Amino acid sequence: MVSINKITVVNNLQIRDTSTHTYKTDKEYISLIPLSESMLKNITNFGVFINNTLNQTLTVNWLTNIDNTETYNDLTLSSPSTYTVLSNDSDIHSLSFIDNALSYLSVSISCTTAPTTGNVLAYLILYGSE
């Protein structure tokens, strides 16, 4: 049987600049999701669902890290390492979990032109077997 788990990664972040936003810069809106050992045993794939109601295109990178202390630099996941979500659109990307992620997952998001309206919502979707 397949299980699906949905975890909020970005909670209604209003972007009004061209800076890169991460869990380090916007802790109240972007989460670094810990993956427990028991979770890791059962996860086969994961994805990030992005809902972009901004009036600008959003650039997304998947991030992973070995811990949550902010001691180490985040690593950008591959395949695809960067993608865009059009203004007022939703998108999901997924890839093989085992080959790419460490113990913590998140996203970095930015716009090349500063938005004036809207927000971003993102979910980490974990697919596994029970």
Side-chain angles (χ1 to χ4, degrees):
M1 177 177 249
V2 174
S3 65
I4 300 174
N5 211 358
K6 178 180 83 170
I7 302 168
T8 303
V9 179
V10 181
N11 191 8
N12 295 315
L13 174 63
Q14 293 184 9
I15 298 175
R16 300 296 183 260
D17 57 29
T18 58
S19 299
T20 299
H21 298 267
T22 70
Y23 67 94
K24 292 178 181 178
T25 62
D26 297 270
K27 293 179 190 305
E28 63 276 14
Y29 297 102
I30 302 176
S31 300
L32 178 65
I33 307 299
L35 300 174
S36 68
E37 192 171 315
S38 61
M39 263 180 147
L40 292 171
K41 286 181 183 177
N42 297 324
I43 295 172
T44 55
N45 290 291
F46 71 98
V48 173
F49 173 83
I50 305 282
N51 186 52
N52 177 17
T53 64
L54 300 171
N55 62 344
Q56 298 296 329
T57 297
L58 185 69
T59 300
V60 179
N61 285 291
W62 301 36
L63 303 177
T64 189
N65 207 315
I66 196 73
D67 72 10
N68 64 350
T69 64
E70 299 185 20
T71 302
Y72 304 106
N73 291 326
D74 294 314
L75 301 173
T76 302
L77 295 177
S78 59
S79 184
S81 59
T82 302
Y83 62 93
T84 58
V85 181
L86 298 176
S87 173
N88 293 304
D89 202 1
S90 296
D91 197 271
I92 189 166
H93 278 79
S94 62
L95 56 122
S96 171
F97 185 83
I98 295 168
D99 295 336
N100 297 292
L102 299 172
S103 298
Y104 292 85
L105 292 172
S106 192
V107 294
S108 71
I109 54 179
S110 62
C111 296
T112 56
T113 302
T116 57
T117 62
N119 60 44
V120 178
L121 179 66
Y123 293 104
L124 174 65
I125 312 295
L126 304 173
Y127 303 93
S129 56
E130 295 181 344

